Amino acid sequence: MKIVIAPDSFKESLSAPEVAQAIARGWLAVYPNAEIVLCPMADGGEGTVDAVLAATGGERREQVVQGPLATPVTAHWGWLGDGTAVIEMAAASGLHHVPSGQRDPRVTSSYGTGELIIAALDAGATRIILGLGGSATNDGGSGLLRSLGVRFLDAGGNELRPGGAALAALQRVDLSALDKRLHNVQVEVAADVDNPLCGPKGASAVFGPQKGASAQQVDELDAALARLAEVVGEALGEDFSTFPGVGAAGGLGFAAKAFLGARFRPGIELVAELSGLADAVRGADLVITGEGRLDAQSLHGKTPVGVARVAREQSVPVIALAGSLGEGYQQVREAGIEACFSLAPGPITLEQACADAGQELEARAADLARLWRVAQAARR
């Protein structure tokens, strides 16, 4: 019996490797001789570096960089043996670096993410995978670009303050000092959204409120990003603001597309490729995946559906475990997930659910294994 376990992390609770290990413990309690293959997954957001390193044996590195509010934070990134650097912007510029009472996407900056790119360039990277998600910023990636040498100037030739709101006064971008090493690096963006930069489906309107923006501030930020798109379009001779995905991570996707020539791919597709998921699934009897919350939104680039897509190509059934099952979760069955199960044993608080996730995952996996045993007996 071969069981492949390929979950995402459970946010604010367990990393993807920890989730996979808990599920494995539960299954092995019933089938101690089963062949278990652990393939921790991610979709480009938090946990992407850990998932890739767990699957590839790459090296975890750390760098002290500027956090979203310019205070120092220690951010991690991954180095693979083939010259590939794996960076998740949340490690440097994530919302978790900003206390809830200080969250203001008008002033937060993605500068630290650019510093991680510099660290990768210094290490000799020829390929950078940049995971987007979980950001505290709405600056169109201007902070990242500043760290790489781009200057954002107002009508008087003065450099703008950090943050998205200041971009309303943008008059010119100076690219003369942009790090020339970027010309020799292939950049791939791993993202699970297809939002444009501006408008009702843009970075500010869709993600701004999650970062603390009021309705008025959303309008302010959207106008500022529109100004950024206009000035950059004039400088580069092309409008990148409507490209799908450039609204990811507060518009950092826009900077990656316009200035780094990034190729956009679904995050789960990239992680599955790096982790060798297709090879792992070959010959498996069952794949178990999961994430913190499974609902209709899971169809849009989330890990369980991406895993199911790989498994379906090899006719291997997939079961999902989730912290909770939200509205429309049944739709994931159309994507190849045969059944979904929630971890909650009864009415509990979110804090309890997060604290007990490991033991509940183990218990639910053991229940699945027992159900599997019953089904196998019935087939005889």
Side-chain angles (χ1 to χ4, degrees):
M1 174 190 298
K2 178 181 178 181
I3 308 297
V4 175
I5 302 175
D8 202 339
S9 63
F10 280 37
K11 288 184 179 179
E12 299 184 32
S13 180
L14 299 173
S15 67
E18 290 171 333
V19 173
Q21 291 159 8
I23 295 172
R25 289 194 300 270
W27 193 274
L28 289 170
V30 180
Y31 283 105
N33 297 320
E35 177 188 356
I36 302 293
V37 180
L38 303 183
C39 285
M41 290 284 114
D43 55 21
E46 294 175 71
T48 294
V49 169
D50 288 338
V52 171
L53 295 184
T56 63
E59 178 186 348
R60 181 185 173 100
R61 298 187 175 184
E62 292 187 343
Q63 182 84 14
V64 176
V65 300
Q66 282 191 25
L69 294 176
T71 54
V73 301
T74 300
H76 65 277
W77 58 287
W79 178 253
L80 309 187
D82 63 354
T84 297
V86 184
I87 295 171
E88 56 186 67
M89 72 90 58
S93 311
L95 194 59
H96 64 281
H97 287 307
V98 184
S100 58
Q102 298 179 40
R103 293 178 179 176
D104 185 349
R106 296 174 300 170
V107 300
T108 48
S109 168
S110 58
Y111 192 94
T113 301
E115 291 181 291
L116 291 184
I117 291 178
I118 291 173
L121 294 174
D122 290 344
T126 56
R127 180 190 185 198
I128 294 176
I129 294 173
L130 180 59
L132 304 187
S135 75
T137 60
N138 203 104
D139 67 350
S142 56
L144 174 151
L145 293 170
R146 287 176 195 267
S147 70
L148 295 173
V150 178
R151 299 174 68 216
F152 294 83
L153 308 173
D154 64 15
N158 304 302
E159 290 212 37
L160 300 180
R161 300 185 312 277
L167 294 170
L170 181 64
Q171 193 68 30
R172 183 170 66 90
V173 290
D174 179 357
L175 309 179
S176 60
L178 180 63
D179 198 316
K180 293 179 173 53
R181 294 176 294 176
L182 293 166
H183 295 303
N184 302 316
V185 177
Q186 175 188 355
V187 178
E188 294 181 71
V189 165
D192 64 356
V193 301
D194 58 3
N195 304 74
L197 183 64
C198 304
K201 294 184 178 180
S204 306
V206 175
F207 306 113
Q210 301 171 10
K211 304 169 188 180
S214 66
Q216 180 178 347
Q217 291 168 350
V218 164
D219 291 340
E220 177 186 355
L221 288 166
D222 189 57
L225 290 185
R227 180 58 185 165
L228 172 67
E230 180 182 1
V231 174
V232 169
E234 293 172 353
L236 301 182
E238 185 175 352
D239 180 10
F240 294 95
S241 65
T242 59
F243 187 87
V246 296
L252 191 144
F254 173 78
K257 182 65 178 176
F259 293 90
L260 309 183
R263 176 189 177 197
F264 281 61
R265 295 177 63 187
I268 180 57
E269 179 182 295
L270 262 172
V271 175
E273 178 185 291
L274 289 168
S275 303
L277 180 62
D279 289 337
V281 168
R282 191 166 293 112
D285 296 285
L286 176 69
V287 173
I288 302 175
T289 185
E291 64 177 347
R293 179 178 174 85
L294 203 63
D295 55 28
Q297 291 301 310
S298 298
L299 291 169
H300 302 288
K302 297 297 184 180
T303 291
V305 170
V307 169
R309 188 175 299 117
V310 173
R312 173 181 269 181
E313 292 175 355
Q314 301 187 42
S315 301
V316 178
V318 178
I319 291 175
L321 297 177
S324 64
L325 299 175
E327 184 176 353
Y329 80 89
Q330 299 91 338
Q331 296 177 37
V332 302
R333 294 171 187 156
E334 302 170 9
I337 297 177
E338 299 293 340
C340 309
F341 298 91
S342 170
L343 299 186
I348 58 175
T349 65
L350 177 60
E351 291 74 17
Q352 287 176 304
C354 290
D356 298 340
Q359 66 187 53
E360 294 299 340
L361 276 164
E362 189 172 336
R364 216 61 66 240
D367 287 341
L368 282 178
R370 294 186 183 95
L371 184 60
W372 182 268
R373 185 168 59 190
V374 170
Q376 296 305 302
R379 292 177 60 184
R380 299 192 186 103

